[in-house]
Amino acid sequence: MKKWMSILLTALLSIAVLAGCNAENKNETKETEASKPSDNNDSKQITALVGLQMEMIHTIRKNLEPVTAYEQSQDAALQEEAVSSSKLIANELRGLEIPSDLSKELQGDMKESVELLALYFEERAATLKPDADLTEMDAALAAFHEKIGATFEKAGLHAPNFKKDVQ
């Protein structure tokens, strides 16, 4: 009988300890949930930034083939289409909507970044001719990477590199 009584007492004590631990976990959960709004806001901003980055890449890739075809071949027959495609990319980039989930500061930074990338494609259109000076085009791409890198780092992300996406 003493054996059963000690087992029952141990079981009750274990249940009481577990109930106490569960109560502490609920309090910690409430504290964690109270701190979630800022985490949730950060998460929305990160999602919005990465989404905008993907839109920019998609906009570039869908119209880039004529540009790269001309640059590789230097075929005069492809030049006009390449220039048109490069200008089209610039215009479509400017038409991208900056997500409202971003803070006002990040929205402004991303507008500037998109504009710098559009300027790069305008410079690229201007250099689509034999023996063109690529200095301005390279400077525009560098300025874009600097701006977008700083913007992504403000949000706690690594700076993106669009170099492979524009070639």
Side-chain angles (χ1 to χ4, degrees), residues 110-139:
M110 283 308 294
K111 283 180 185 175
E112 288 178 35
S113 295
V114 170
E115 179 60 26
L116 288 170
L117 187 57
L119 289 172
Y120 162 77
F121 277 99
E122 287 179 346
E123 288 294 331
R124 192 166 178 176
T127 63
L128 292 173
K129 54 187 173 198
D131 301 325
D133 181 14
L134 306 178
T135 308
E136 293 293 321
M137 181 185 79
D138 292 339

Side-chain angles (χ1 to χ4, degrees), residues 141-155:
L141 186 60
F144 162 72
H145 274 119
E146 184 177 322
K147 183 63 179 176
I148 198 165
T151 302
F152 269 60
E153 287 171 359
K154 278 183 196 175

Side-chain angles (χ1 to χ4, degrees), residues 28-42:
E28 288 176 11
T29 303
K30 287 180 183 176
E31 290 171 9
T32 304
E33 287 174 2
S35 67
K36 274 189 180 179
S38 65
D39 292 342
N40 191 22
N41 191 32
D42 289 346

Side-chain angles (χ1 to χ4, degrees), residues 81-108:
E81 185 181 2
V83 170
S84 295
S85 290
S86 192
K87 288 180 180 179
L88 178 64
I89 292 169
N91 289 333
E92 286 187 5
L93 285 169
R94 286 187 176 109
L96 291 178
E97 186 174 326
I98 306 299
S100 60
D101 289 342
L102 297 176
S103 68
K104 296 294 182 195
E105 180 183 12
L106 289 177
Q107 284 180 358

